[in-house]
């Protein structure tokens, strides 16, 4: 995964969440759960490192905003 950009955590209330899961379905379920509570810049795909188990997903949260309903 790319390094975290300073802008993504430049202010209180901004966060980067990295999910490690067994499969895409689980990773996206976690992202969806977060999106029900926080404003999320959602990922549209996971990554997989050859030779490593599972997948990774990174999304960005803004705890200062309510999620889109």
């Amino acid at each position: 995964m790319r390094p975290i950009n300073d802008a993504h955590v430049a202010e209180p209330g901004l966060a980067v969440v990295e999910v490690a899961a067994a499969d895409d379905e689980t990773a996206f379920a976690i992202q969806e759960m977060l999106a029900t509570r926080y404003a999320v810049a959602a990922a549209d795909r996971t990554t997989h490192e050859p030779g490593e188990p599972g997948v990774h997903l990174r999304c960005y949260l803004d705890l200062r905003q309510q999620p889109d309903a």
Side-chain angles (χ1 to χ4, degrees):
M1 291 193 141
R2 296 185 317 256
I4 296 171
N5 184 311
D6 289 345
H8 295 134
V9 293
E11 300 176 26
L14 300 178
V16 178
V17 176
E18 294 185 351
V19 176
D23 56 30
D24 288 355
E25 183 177 304
T26 303
F28 286 119
I30 296 296
Q31 178 176 258
E32 184 61 33
M33 181 193 65
L34 291 169
T36 64
R37 182 146 187 201
Y38 307 108
V40 173
D44 57 357
R45 63 184 177 87
T46 62
T47 58
H48 171 75
E49 293 292 327
E52 295 292 324
V55 297
H56 297 268
L57 176 140
R58 180 184 288 174
C59 58
Y60 303 91
L61 275 64
D62 187 341
L63 305 178
R64 306 166 301 175
Q65 298 181 32
Q66 295 296 316
D68 295 334

